[in-house]
Amino acid sequence: MWTALWAVYIIWGSTYLFIAIAVETIPPLAAVSTRFIAAGLIMAAIVKRRGGTMRVSRRAFGSCVLIGCLLPGANAVLFFAEKNVPTGLASLLIASVPLWVVILRLWGRERLNLRTLIGVGVGFAGVAVLLRPSGGATTTGILLCIVSALMWSVGSVAAARLPMPSDAFAATAWEMLAGGIVLLPWGLASTGGLSPSLASSLAWLYLVTFGSIVGYTAYTWLLVHAPLSTVSTYAYVNPIVAILLGVLFRNEHLTLQILVGAAIVVAAVAVVVRQEPPAATAPEEGVR
């Protein structure tokens, strides 16, 4: 169990670093569209290997297309954002997803306990601290991170309410393929004189294999074999891993503002996830 848990901690926490490396020489839309098509095809092969089927109902397929536009679409926005935002700061803003999910659930007139609501309020205070550009971030990059978090939240909430395939692997494969195919025309149009470096190519390969396949497989296994409260800890461990990797490998500097915002956001997300684990932990996170 701990091997799988640390795999999710490190792999999903490291995706921010590898996204930043990939977009150094690969246009964001080209990188993200081809990544999800490749990962979707591999995931479909895994479904077949496990004796499953990619056949789904028309309604479930439509849901997968919608979720595929939202979740991989959110990842595409993050690819753009990380050209102008340090990986650590980006991970903290994306860590606000559980907070946005609670807001969407409240909008849907769900009743939540007081501790969750207090955690959300404190968490958004931390997000507000992070919104002022610092540490090499631009206003546009920060706003793109917020848009990405919102798209991810809407996709996660929608996935819980729409008719989805019963096989989580098949659902994720269709979501990846749908998102990648929708983004592909713009990705091809942006390639121009594409000449990716070795580092960007290896980062792209890591995102396809480890980020989308290994991380998701470990996560799905954990949902069956580990307590949900334990699995949910990834939501606030991932930003810590991303910050450490950014400092170690990209010489990113942590300002006092980022440290204060990080402490507030991570603590608040920990409270919210512990109180409302189903809202913060959804299989669709596998598309990251």
Side-chain angles (χ1 to χ4, degrees):
M1 183 185 78
W2 282 104
T3 300
L5 194 59
W6 276 103
V8 173
Y9 285 168
I10 295 172
I11 291 173
W12 280 358
S14 68
T15 55
Y16 298 93
L17 171 64
F18 285 95
I19 286 173
I21 295 172
V23 297
E24 286 177 351
T25 59
I26 304 176
L29 285 177
V32 75
S33 60
T34 54
R35 171 199 175 183
F36 282 119
I37 290 174
L41 291 173
I42 294 172
M43 189 68 78
I46 291 174
V47 171
K48 290 290 188 180
R49 181 74 175 177
R50 293 170 63 241
T53 178
M54 289 295 292
R55 290 186 177 182
V56 297
S57 69
R58 187 172 299 177
R59 291 185 66 193
F61 178 75
S63 298
C64 288
V65 172
L66 175 60
I67 303 304
C69 290
L70 286 169
L71 295 177
N75 200 271
V77 174
L78 182 61
F79 268 64
F80 275 103
E82 285 205 34
K83 292 182 74 69
N84 298 292
V85 176
T87 58
L89 179 55
S91 70
L92 287 168
L93 293 170
I94 298 300
S96 67
V97 165
L99 309 180
W100 290 110
V101 167
V102 171
I103 295 298
L104 291 171
R105 292 173 67 201
L106 285 172
W107 187 49
R109 299 186 178 181
E110 288 190 41
R111 299 184 67 179
L112 303 171
N113 65 58
L114 181 60
R115 187 173 295 183
T116 296
L117 298 178
I118 292 173
V120 170
V122 172
F124 278 117
V127 172
V129 171
L130 297 171
L131 288 181
R132 183 168 171 267
S134 63
T138 65
T139 301
T140 300
I142 289 174
L143 290 177
L144 286 175
C145 285
I146 296 296
V147 170
S148 178
L150 277 169
M151 291 177 65
W152 215 305
S153 304
V154 172
S156 297
V157 172
R161 301 186 179 190
L162 294 173
M164 301 293 292
S166 57
D167 187 332
F169 282 90
T172 300
W174 280 121
E175 290 165 13
M176 290 178 176
L177 288 169
I181 291 170
V182 168
L183 293 169
L184 186 60
W186 286 275
L188 293 175
S190 67
T191 54
L194 181 64
S195 182
S197 65
L198 178 60
S200 291
S201 299
L202 292 175
W204 179 90
L205 188 61
Y206 177 90
L207 291 170
V208 170
T209 54
F210 286 90
S212 295
I213 305 299
V214 178
Y216 177 70
T217 302
Y219 177 77
T220 303
W221 184 89
L222 282 167
L223 287 177
V224 177
H225 296 90
L228 192 55
S229 59
T230 300
V231 182
S232 301
T233 57
Y234 84 88
Y236 45 93
V237 175
N238 283 169
I240 298 172
V241 173
I243 289 171
L244 290 174
L245 292 177
V247 170
L248 291 174
F249 296 103
R250 293 186 67 82
N251 298 315
E252 294 179 357
H253 301 290
L254 295 178
T255 65
L256 179 61
Q257 174 192 337
I258 291 177
L259 287 173
V260 171
I264 296 172
V265 170
V266 171
V269 169
V271 170
V272 171
V273 169
R274 287 288 182 175
Q275 292 296 311
E276 299 287 337
T281 308
E284 289 71 22
E285 291 283 1
V287 300
R288 73 172 58 223

